[in-house]
Amino acid sequence: MESQSSSGIFDKVTETWVTAPERPVSLSSRNACLIHIYPTGPTMGTRYTIGEVPIVIGRASDCDIRINDHSVSRRHARIQPGADGYYAVDLQSTNGTYINDVPASMYKLKDGDYLRVGNWIYRFLMGGNVETEYHEEIYRLTIIDGLTEIHNKRYLMEFLDRELARSSRHNRPLSLIMIDIDRFKSINDEFGHLGGDFTLRELAIRMKGNIRKEELLARYGGEEFAVVLPETTLDGTMMVANRMLEVVNQTPFLFEERSFQVTISAGVVTTQGEADITPVELIKRADHKLYQAKNEGRNRVCN
């Protein structure tokens, strides 16, 4: 299973100024930028400063923001300055332009909006504190998964480390659920990577609604998720895990007016005051139970 991490992002952050050679960008009346937040990789965190000149996003070599990905049309979308702000305009792209996961042919951008072009996601920032907000966004990218908007593996490991220490110190229960989407490759094969990304986002939304504020839902990597439950016994954790299965498979997923069923498998482990156990060891135990659930037929919980 694929694993991803945002560690080291500060070393990879770059800044790109989008300008037109025949007309310099004036920032006296505007202060806005796009930040690349997904997919992860060397360009994550790149800032594209927007001025008075329209900029085009697409796959073609003459685009202002060029994305070499076939989910993106040659000329996919344009960021258009207007008298009252900036507008995102879809250029009759194949896969559409989305603002906050809603299809948009023309949309006035607001501070904090998410712009999705094919498989790529950008955050739009505008206002007098763009520089501060930019650095806050970069920090957020180190602990939040850009696609699903839940915590990432880096934050999961830090959270587990703290909670394991507390469990050991106070002899209190701590539980972990590792969750994996069943036959995720077939979803990608049938609906493409856009459908796969939609499935991951929708799954995160459904599961997040069943997590309390003192608990943690994180994307461990690829199609695998983790749920950390402090102060929760094995019986209580099994109830949570089975509820997760139910909220995922009780209602079909709907992508581009096509309905499909999604199931998950889960592995559950609980520790209480165990000395010297590490986050890696606890995850290894839960993964072992997850593989057991897969081998026993999927769409089930094993402990």
Side-chain angles (χ1 to χ4, degrees), residues 31-51:
N31 194 8
C33 67
L34 291 176
I35 303 172
H36 171 203
I37 66 171
Y38 184 84
T40 57
T43 61
M44 187 171 72
T46 300
R47 171 167 63 177
Y48 299 91
T49 298
I50 310 170

Side-chain angles (χ1 to χ4, degrees), residues 60-112:
S61 59
D62 61 343
C63 288
D64 300 291
I65 300 178
R66 188 185 180 196
I67 305 173
N68 188 22
D69 186 318
H70 285 285
S71 68
V72 178
S73 297
R74 289 184 57 79
R75 298 178 69 81
H76 196 112
R78 181 175 65 244
I79 306 301
Q80 176 72 49
D84 57 347
Y86 289 98
Y87 289 79
V89 182
D90 182 70
L91 301 178
Q92 298 184 326
S93 63
T94 300
N95 291 317
T97 299
Y98 291 75
I99 307 296
N100 304 322
D101 275 338
V102 177
S105 56
M106 176 178 279
Y107 181 91
K108 182 184 175 183
L109 291 165
K110 302 185 299 295
D111 185 45

